């Protein structure tokens, strides 16, 4: 058929029947993801429109993609090896099969959000992918606890930080350069919900979400959730790998005026992600009835959400939404409300979450040089009739 139509279909058959996946990938810049907005194709970056994040568990084809470099092609999951080394008593090389056999396998719904989610709204604009709302997802991840693996390796008392390495290549093609290598304080690495995951929503990881092995660190900048994971090294100092220093994933230690130049030594590493909510129904610009359902999710780093409120009068008055508990720690919480709109006209729906420590989503946030941590209210304009 390809020959007849005069087009070159990638008919490359190999014994594993791999050609179908390759053909799809060649024709589909989003590798089977559906409805995502492409922000950049090299490296590949794509976000999910809020209304496509309506599910309690984010389907794989709707989970955002944030690549800093070039993913490995056709990685062999059977031969994949994770090295655990540095300040450990017993360095280890673990295949995925070893992880499955030697450690408890757990499945949890976990939120990961890019620290740059919401960057689009900074003024003056900041450099990087102009994410709006959808660099966040809560899929079901299956794997083993990083903590259990580190316990088995034996954490040396001098270890204070992890360093993560993966198999993706630097955009320059220079094999000596790493696109990204971030880490975690040991105390965080040793918490219950940090997983080394090999499945996403009950299937092997998606090639763009780190197949065959990745970290999932819920509630922290998703840049710590290393994809195509090959090595975890323990260090006696804060990691200084690619995108750990300078302006990367760091914010000023004190508020600065928009557009200000900030010295690197005044920047601090972002740890937990702030309290936030998302309206996933109705969609922006939807036609709604006067009595209308509104719903979405809310999350806050490693904390719980205690309250979500909705306003349709620019914050003059608020009604409480019904709020579900998280299915497990690290998952987002679903909320819903029924609006009684007085008139057939345009309305803006605002959602505002409050967490267990009393942090409330703000109307606006301090500018920072790379446009991180925008947790200001989500506002959705609709037409009531
Ligand atoms: N190896 C590797 N891991 C990575 C990245 C990357 O470029 N390479 N990007 C990080 C960033 S910045 C984010 S926001 C998340 C995105 O995860 P996702 O693409 O599965 O949504 O992966 C993180 N892990
Ligand atoms: Mo990110």
């Amino acid at each position: 058929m390809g020959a007849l139509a005069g087009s070159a279909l990638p008919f490359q058959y190999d014994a594993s029947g791999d050609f179908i996946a390759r053909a799809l990938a060649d024709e589909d810049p989003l590798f089977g993801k559906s409805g995502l907005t492409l922000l950049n194709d090299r490296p590949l970056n794509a976000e999910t429109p809020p209304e496509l994040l309506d599910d309690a568990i984010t389907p794989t084809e709707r989970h955002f993609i944030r690549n800093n470099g070039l993913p490995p092609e056709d990685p062999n999951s059977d031969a994949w090896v994770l090295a655990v080394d540095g300040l450990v008593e017993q360095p280890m090389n673990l295949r995925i099969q070893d992880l499955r056999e030697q450690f408890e396998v757990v499945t949890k719904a976990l939120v990961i959000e890019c620290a740059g989610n919401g960057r689009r709204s900074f003024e003056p604009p900041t450099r990087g992918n102009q994410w709006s709302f959808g660099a966040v997802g809560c899929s079901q991840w299956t794997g083993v606890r990083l903590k259990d693996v580190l316990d088995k390796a034996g954490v040396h008392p001098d270890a204070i930080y992890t360093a993560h390495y993966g198999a993706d290549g630097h955009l320059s093609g220079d094999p000596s350069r790493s696109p990204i290598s971030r880490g975690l304080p040991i105390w965080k690495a040793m918490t219950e919900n940090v997983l080394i995951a090999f499945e996403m929503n009950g299937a092997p990881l998606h090639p763009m979400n780190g197949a065959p092995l990745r970290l999932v660190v819920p509630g922290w900048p998703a840049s710590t959730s290393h994809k195509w994971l090959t090595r975890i090294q323990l260090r006696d100092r804060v990691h200084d790998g690619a995108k750990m220093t300078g302006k990367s994933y760091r914010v000023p230690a004190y508020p600065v005026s928009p557009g200000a130049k900030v010295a690197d030594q005044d920047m601090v590493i972002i740890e937990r992600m702030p309290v936030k909510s998302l309206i996933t129904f109705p969609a922006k610009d939807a036609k709604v009835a006067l009595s209308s359902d509104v719903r979405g999710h809310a999350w806050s780093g490693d904390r719980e959400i205690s309250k979500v409120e909705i306003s349709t009068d620019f914050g003059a008055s608020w009604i409480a939404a019904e709020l579900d508990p998280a299915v497990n720690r690290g998952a987002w919480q679903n909320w819903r409300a029924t609006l009684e709109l007085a008139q057939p006209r345009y309305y803006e729906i605002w959602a505002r979450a409050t967490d267990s420590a009393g942090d409330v989503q703000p109307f606006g946030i301090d500018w920072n040089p790379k446009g991180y941590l925008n947790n200001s209210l989500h506002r959705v304009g609709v037409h009531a009739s």
Side-chain angles (χ1 to χ4, degrees), residues 63-69 112-115 141 166-168 179-180 208-210 214 222-228 249:
H63 196 282
F64 75 103
I65 303 170
R66 196 292 186 244
N67 293 348
N68 288 268
I112 63 171
E113 180 181 17
C114 181
W141 301 93
D168 46 337
I180 186 168
M208 292 302 116
N209 301 114
R214 76 172 300 168
S223 51
T224 58
S225 292
H226 216 86
K227 302 192 282 187
W228 311 293
Y249 302 105

Coordinates of all heavy atoms in Angstrom, one line a residue, residues 63-69 112-115 141 166-168 179-180 208-210 214 222-228 249, ligand 1:
H63 N -1.3 11.3 30.2 CA -0.2 11.8 31.1 C 0.7 12.7 30.4 O 1.2 12.3 29.3 CB 0.5 10.7 31.8 CG 1.2 11.1 33.0 ND1 2.5 11.7 33.0 CD2 0.9 11.0 34.4 CE1 2.9 12.0 34.2 NE2 2.0 11.5 35.1
F64 N 1.1 13.8 30.9 CA 2.0 14.8 30.2 C 3.4 14.1 29.9 O 3.7 13.1 30.6 CB 2.1 16.1 30.9 CG 3.0 16.1 32.2 CD1 4.2 16.6 32.1 CD2 2.5 15.5 33.4 CE1 5.1 16.6 33.3 CE2 3.3 15.5 34.5 CZ 4.6 16.1 34.5
I65 N 4.1 14.8 29.0 CA 5.5 14.4 28.7 C 6.4 15.6 28.9 O 6.1 16.6 28.3 CB 5.6 13.9 27.3 CG1 4.7 12.7 27.0 CG2 7.1 13.5 27.0 CD1 4.6 12.4 25.5
R66 N 7.4 15.4 29.7 CA 8.4 16.4 29.8 C 9.8 15.8 29.7 O 10.3 15.1 30.6 CB 8.3 17.2 31.2 CG 9.0 18.5 31.2 CD 10.5 18.4 31.2 NE 11.2 19.7 31.4 CZ 11.9 20.3 30.5 NH1 12.1 19.8 29.3 NH2 12.5 21.4 30.8
N67 N 10.4 16.0 28.5 CA 11.7 15.4 28.2 C 12.7 16.6 28.2 O 12.4 17.6 27.6 CB 11.8 14.7 26.9 CG 11.0 13.4 26.9 OD1 10.5 13.0 28.0 ND2 10.7 12.8 25.8
N68 N 13.9 16.4 28.8 CA 15.0 17.4 28.7 C 16.0 17.0 27.6 O 16.8 17.8 27.2 CB 15.7 17.5 30.0 CG 14.9 18.2 31.1 OD1 15.0 19.4 31.2 ND2 14.0 17.5 31.8
G69 N 16.0 15.7 27.2 CA 16.9 15.2 26.2 C 16.2 14.3 25.3 O 15.0 14.4 25.0
I112 N 2.5 13.5 40.0 CA 3.7 14.2 39.7 C 3.3 15.5 38.9 O 2.5 15.5 38.0 CB 4.8 13.4 39.0 CG1 4.3 12.9 37.7 CG2 5.2 12.2 39.9 CD1 5.5 12.2 36.9
E113 N 4.0 16.6 39.3 CA 3.7 17.9 38.6 C 5.1 18.5 38.3 O 6.0 18.6 39.2 CB 2.9 18.8 39.5 CG 2.6 20.1 38.9 CD 1.9 21.1 39.8 OE1 1.8 20.9 41.0 OE2 1.3 22.1 39.3
C114 N 5.2 19.0 37.0 CA 6.4 19.7 36.7 C 6.5 21.0 37.4 O 5.5 21.7 37.5 CB 6.4 19.9 35.2 SG 7.9 20.8 34.6
A115 N 7.7 21.3 38.0 CA 7.8 22.6 38.7 C 7.5 23.8 37.9 O 7.1 24.8 38.4 CB 9.2 22.7 39.3
W141 N 0.9 3.9 39.7 CA 2.3 3.4 39.4 C 2.6 2.2 40.2 O 2.2 2.1 41.4 CB 3.3 4.5 39.8 CG 3.1 5.8 39.1 CD1 2.4 6.9 39.5 CD2 3.6 6.2 37.8 NE1 2.4 7.9 38.6 CE2 3.2 7.5 37.5 CE3 4.4 5.5 36.9 CZ2 3.5 8.2 36.4 CZ3 4.8 6.2 35.7 CH2 4.3 7.5 35.5
G166 N 20.0 8.6 34.2 CA 19.2 7.8 33.2 C 19.8 7.6 31.9 O 20.9 8.1 31.7
A167 N 19.1 6.9 31.0 CA 19.7 6.5 29.7 C 19.4 7.5 28.6 O 19.7 7.2 27.5 CB 19.2 5.1 29.4
D168 N 18.7 8.6 28.9 CA 18.5 9.5 27.8 C 19.7 10.4 27.4 O 20.6 10.6 28.3 CB 17.3 10.5 28.1 CG 17.3 11.1 29.5 OD1 17.9 10.5 30.4 OD2 16.6 12.1 29.6
P179 N 21.5 15.2 30.1 CA 20.4 16.2 29.9 C 19.9 16.6 31.3 O 19.5 17.8 31.5 CB 19.3 15.5 29.1 CG 19.6 14.0 29.3 CD 21.0 13.8 29.5
I180 N 19.9 15.7 32.2 CA 19.4 16.1 33.6 C 19.9 15.0 34.6 O 19.9 13.8 34.2 CB 17.8 16.2 33.6 CG1 17.3 16.7 34.9 CG2 17.2 14.9 33.2 CD1 15.8 17.1 34.9
M208 N 7.6 7.3 26.6 CA 7.9 8.7 26.9 C 7.8 9.0 28.4 O 8.2 10.1 28.8 CB 7.0 9.6 26.1 CG 7.3 9.6 24.6 SD 9.0 10.1 24.2 CE 9.6 8.5 23.5
N209 N 7.3 8.1 29.2 CA 7.2 8.3 30.6 C 8.2 7.4 31.3 O 8.1 7.1 32.5 CB 5.8 8.0 31.1 CG 4.8 8.9 30.5 OD1 3.9 8.5 29.8 ND2 4.9 10.3 30.7
G210 N 9.3 7.1 30.6 CA 10.5 6.5 31.3 C 10.7 5.0 31.2 O 11.5 4.5 31.9
R214 N 11.6 3.9 36.2 CA 11.7 5.3 36.6 C 11.5 5.5 38.1 O 10.9 4.6 38.7 CB 10.7 6.2 35.8 CG 9.3 6.0 36.4 CD 8.3 7.0 35.8 NE 8.7 8.4 36.0 CZ 8.2 9.5 35.4 NH1 7.2 9.3 34.5 NH2 8.6 10.7 35.7
A222 N 8.5 17.2 39.6 CA 8.6 15.9 38.9 C 10.0 15.7 38.3 O 10.3 14.6 37.8 CB 7.5 15.8 37.8
S223 N 10.8 16.7 38.2 CA 12.2 16.6 37.7 C 13.0 15.6 38.6 O 14.0 15.1 38.2 CB 12.9 17.9 37.7 OG 12.8 18.6 38.9
T224 N 12.5 15.4 39.9 CA 13.2 14.4 40.7 C 12.7 13.0 40.4 O 13.4 12.0 40.9 CB 12.9 14.7 42.2 OG1 11.5 14.6 42.4 CG2 13.4 16.0 42.7
S225 N 11.6 12.8 39.6 CA 11.1 11.5 39.2 C 11.8 11.0 38.0 O 11.3 11.0 36.9 CB 9.6 11.6 39.0 OG 8.9 11.9 40.2
H226 N 13.1 10.6 38.2 CA 13.9 10.3 37.0 C 13.4 9.2 36.2 O 13.1 8.1 36.6 CB 15.4 10.0 37.5 CG 16.4 10.5 36.6 ND1 16.9 11.8 36.7 CD2 17.0 10.0 35.5 CE1 17.8 12.0 35.7 NE2 17.9 10.9 35.0
K227 N 13.4 9.4 34.8 CA 12.9 8.4 33.9 C 14.1 7.7 33.3 O 15.3 8.1 33.4 CB 12.2 9.2 32.7 CG 11.0 10.0 33.3 CD 10.1 10.5 32.2 CE 10.6 11.6 31.4 NZ 9.6 12.2 30.4
W228 N 13.8 6.5 32.7 CA 14.9 5.7 32.1 C 16.0 5.5 33.0 O 17.2 5.6 32.7 CB 15.4 6.3 30.7 CG 14.2 6.7 29.9 CD1 13.3 5.9 29.2 CD2 13.8 8.1 29.5 NE1 12.4 6.6 28.6 CE2 12.6 7.9 28.7 CE3 14.2 9.3 29.8 CZ2 11.9 9.0 28.2 CZ3 13.5 10.4 29.3 CH2 12.4 10.3 28.6
Y249 N 15.3 24.6 38.5 CA 14.6 24.0 39.7 C 14.9 24.7 41.0 O 14.9 24.0 42.0 CB 14.7 22.5 39.7 CG 14.2 21.9 38.4 CD1 15.1 21.4 37.4 CD2 12.9 21.9 38.0 CE1 14.7 20.9 36.2 CE2 12.5 21.4 36.8 CZ 13.4 20.9 35.9 OH 13.0 20.5 34.7
Ligands
LIG1 N1 15.9 10.8 32.6 C1 15.0 11.9 32.6 N2 14.2 11.9 33.6 C2 13.3 12.9 33.7 C3 13.3 14.0 32.8 C4 14.2 13.9 31.7 O1 14.3 14.8 30.8 N3 15.1 12.8 31.7 N4 12.4 15.0 32.9 C5 12.0 15.3 34.3 C6 11.0 16.3 34.4 S1 11.5 17.9 34.4 C7 9.7 16.0 34.6 S2 8.5 17.3 34.8 C8 9.2 14.6 34.7 C9 8.1 14.4 33.7 O2 7.6 13.1 33.7 P1 6.7 12.6 32.6 O3 7.3 12.9 31.3 O4 6.5 11.1 32.8 O5 5.4 13.3 32.7 O6 10.2 13.7 34.3 C10 11.5 14.0 34.9 N5 12.4 12.9 34.7

